[in-house]
Amino acid sequence: MTAAPHHPREGDRLASLRSYQVLDTGPDAALDALTGAAARLLGAPAALVALLDEDRQWFASASGLESVFGYQTRQTSREASFCAWAVATEQALVVPDASADSRFADNALVTGPEHVRAYAGAPIIGRDGLPLGALCVVDRHARQFAAAGVQALGELATSVAELLELRRLDAAAGLAPRQVLAESHELRAGIDAGQLVVHYQPVVDLASGDWRGVEALVRWDHPRRGLLAPGAFLPVAEASGLVVPLGREVLTLACTQVALWRAAPPATAGGGAAADLHVAVNLSGRQLSEPDVVDVVTDALVVSGLPAQALTLELTETSLAGTGAQVDSALARVREAGVRLALDDFGTGYASHAYLQRFQPDVVKIDRCFVAALGRSGRDDLLTGSLIDLGLQLGCEVVAEGVETAGQARALRDLGVRTAQGYLFSPPRAADDLLALLGARG
Ligand code: C2E
Ligand code: MG
Ligand code: MG
């Protein structure tokens, strides 16, 4: 028997395959759809995504395999792998009659009860340029494969590689594949159906109690699950890229709403208390890296009529991590237009000082964990106080987040903080409820 060959860079190839973390995972409907399509296109009873491991081939998908083998399995020995040949040569392999081919005549799958007679396979090339396995079709009868069919197999193999890459990225983001796919479809439909709503939390002057502005916080008014907080859908929005259209929608809704409040006649909006209201909108890293982010921001201002000076964009260290000159120049242009920039969740990142230096925010928002820590111990107070000092020394407006008690508000004032938000003043509320509250204050 001719031994199944190895790829010239077998060690690297195996390392690349392992990095996908796909071996021995559950069934995958999207891969099954691709093998189903391959079997139909080539008129074969079975099609497989065979990933070539050290001493086995593992089937990430196996459509119709039972009809050929007579039993269902997700792996065979490496020795019996036809795909190993396509992998070793990085070329499509066509075997019209295995029993007449010296490489396969004594292959266990040919001589055994599986009775494989014909094979066509195309290598699946991973992101490192190394083959992970092959997409193949098998038949129990000797037969020819049309060149167009073999070419189509190669194209489907590329789609398999792209799908495996998506799965790898989802796994890296800590998301289960089917969860992302199903939920991102639902979220896309939800965005299109206008199910995103924006709630607003007032940002309050600690000395006077006056409202300086509001922070816009997205919610998904889900038809079955009710009103969802961002933690329930932002990870999927990030992983799927939907956070880009989502963020655009929130920006437009928030600018439009606050422009309306500012223009509202005094009787309906707290005796004119809303005339100077500004709005803070959170921006994700994905959104920041979009080439048209500056246009998106300026469009929202133009469409809503909100002056640029009334808008603050909130960024986190996480959203800035890994970005470079392109994002820096986009931020500089937004700021030139008059928009303010805030560093959100300040103090929670690993390199707060570095981001302060690079990005020079107008506002720093002290994360609520530092507010919650106030009064716990001398060390805690010192840490929170030094974060506040740092912001103030750099000339930033310092906003404290998550203020829940009057004691915290007092302590923050003593530490030099002028503005804050939190449940003590108001939780985030729907626009109409907030307007009522504002009216009641006016
Ligand atoms: P964030 O920007 O730091 O927003 C503050 C979060 O703290 C909000 O959670 C708010 O509801 C909550 N909060 C406010 N006051 C208090 C308080 O006194 N105590 C406590 N325990 N929590 C308080 P939410 O609305 O669940 O939002 C979570 C995060 O989701 C936000 O954190 C922000 O990073 C992100 N987010 C929200 N809306 C958007 C959006 O439109 N786009 C993007 N990219 N991210 C968003
Ligand atoms: Mg924020
Ligand atoms: Mg925050």
Side-chain angles (χ1 to χ4, degrees):
M1 176 154 148
T2 317
H6 284 90
H7 186 268
R9 291 174 58 199
E10 186 66 6
D12 292 344
R13 193 193 71 73
L14 284 169
S16 180
L17 173 62
R18 297 266 148 73
S19 75
Y20 282 82
Q21 299 191 2
V22 62
L23 294 171
D24 300 308
T25 55
D28 186 319
L31 277 180
D32 292 347
L34 287 174
T35 47
R40 273 195 306 283
L41 268 171
L42 281 93
L48 315 168
V49 169
L51 300 178
L52 195 63
D53 201 359
E54 202 164 356
D55 50 13
R56 62 172 177 163
Q57 58 176 350
W58 181 79
F59 303 139
S61 170
S63 290
L65 186 63
E66 200 167 352
S67 71
V68 176
F69 278 21
Y71 58 92
Q72 188 57 260
T73 181
R74 292 202 72 182
Q75 62 185 37
T76 79
S77 74
R78 189 183 200 284
E79 282 311 296
S81 172
F82 284 58
C83 290
W85 296 77
V87 166
T89 59
E90 297 187 7
Q91 301 276 326
L93 170 72
V94 178
V95 183
D97 184 355
S99 53
D101 188 317
S102 62
R103 293 171 296 182
F104 303 108
D106 56 0
N107 181 298
L109 295 176
V110 177
T111 56
E114 292 84 4
H115 278 306
V116 171
R117 282 293 292 281
Y119 168 99
I124 298 163
I125 309 293
R127 72 183 187 293
D128 303 314
L130 294 165
L132 309 171
L135 170 66
C136 71
V137 295
V138 293
D139 209 326
R140 287 173 75 92
H141 307 285
R143 54 167 286 181
Q144 299 297 325
F145 293 96
V150 177
Q151 191 186 336
L153 202 58
E155 285 157 12
L156 286 173
T158 306
S159 300
V160 170
E162 282 163 2
L163 200 57
L164 292 175
E165 176 64 7
L166 281 180
R167 297 293 183 258
R168 189 185 69 80
L169 292 171
D170 288 346
L175 298 160
R178 255 156 308 291
Q179 180 195 342
V180 175
L181 210 62
E183 289 192 10
S184 63
H185 284 162
E186 213 184 350
L187 180 56
R188 165 90 266 173
I191 295 174
D192 290 346
Q195 290 166 6
L196 291 185
V197 289
V198 180
H199 280 194
Y200 299 88
Q201 183 175 41
V203 180
V204 173
D205 183 308
L206 281 173
S208 65
D210 290 346
W211 291 12
R212 289 279 163 259
V214 291
E215 176 172 6
L217 294 157
V218 67
R219 305 285 181 262
W220 179 8
D221 193 2
H222 192 284
R224 273 183 299 104
R225 294 160 66 196
L227 197 67
L228 300 179
F233 58 92
L234 275 185
V236 166
E238 288 275 358
S240 61
L242 281 173
V243 74
V244 173
L246 176 149
R248 203 183 301 137
E249 173 88 3
V250 170
L251 192 64
T252 309
L253 287 171
C255 289
T256 305
Q257 181 61 71
V258 173
L260 274 173
W261 278 334
R262 288 166 63 98
T268 59
D276 298 322
L277 215 59
H278 63 238
V279 61
V281 179
N282 295 281
L283 233 59
S284 75
R286 281 288 269 270
Q287 245 183 310
L288 261 184
S289 303
E290 287 292 294
D292 66 347
V293 61
V294 179
D295 295 338
V296 168
V297 172
T298 44
D299 285 356
L301 291 171
V302 169
V303 168
S304 64
L306 187 77
Q309 291 69 21
L311 175 65
T312 304
L313 298 177
E314 295 195 359
L315 315 164
T316 62
E317 290 170 36
T318 320
S319 67
L320 289 162
T323 61
Q326 188 201 332
V327 165
D328 287 353
S329 99
L331 289 175
R333 283 165 61 206
V334 169
R335 184 178 258 150
E336 263 163 41
V339 173
R340 298 198 310 160
L341 301 177
L343 191 54
D344 202 352
D345 304 344
F346 182 60
T348 57
Y350 65 94
S352 302
H353 292 68
Y355 283 104
L356 276 182
Q357 183 62 24
R358 174 179 146 201
F359 154 69
Q360 306 192 352
D362 306 285
V363 180
V364 295
K365 301 192 72 174
I366 306 293
D367 190 75
R368 69 165 179 264
C369 67
F370 300 106
V371 172
L374 279 173
R376 221 184 267 158
S377 73
R379 286 178 72 94
D380 280 313
D381 287 351
L382 197 66
L383 182 58
T384 305
S386 68
L387 283 172
I388 292 168
D389 271 349
L390 184 58
L392 292 172
Q393 295 290 336
L394 289 169
C396 303
E397 180 189 341
V398 175
V399 180
E401 293 189 288
V403 178
E404 295 182 352
T405 68
Q408 288 169 346
R410 251 192 323 273
L412 288 162
R413 268 184 72 180
D414 292 345
L415 289 167
V417 176
R418 296 229 183 87
T419 39
Q421 58 190 94
Y423 297 161
L424 175 65
F425 312 108
S426 165
R429 292 173 197 262
D432 287 349
D433 299 342
L434 198 79
L435 184 65
L437 193 68
L438 189 62
R441 294 175 49 83

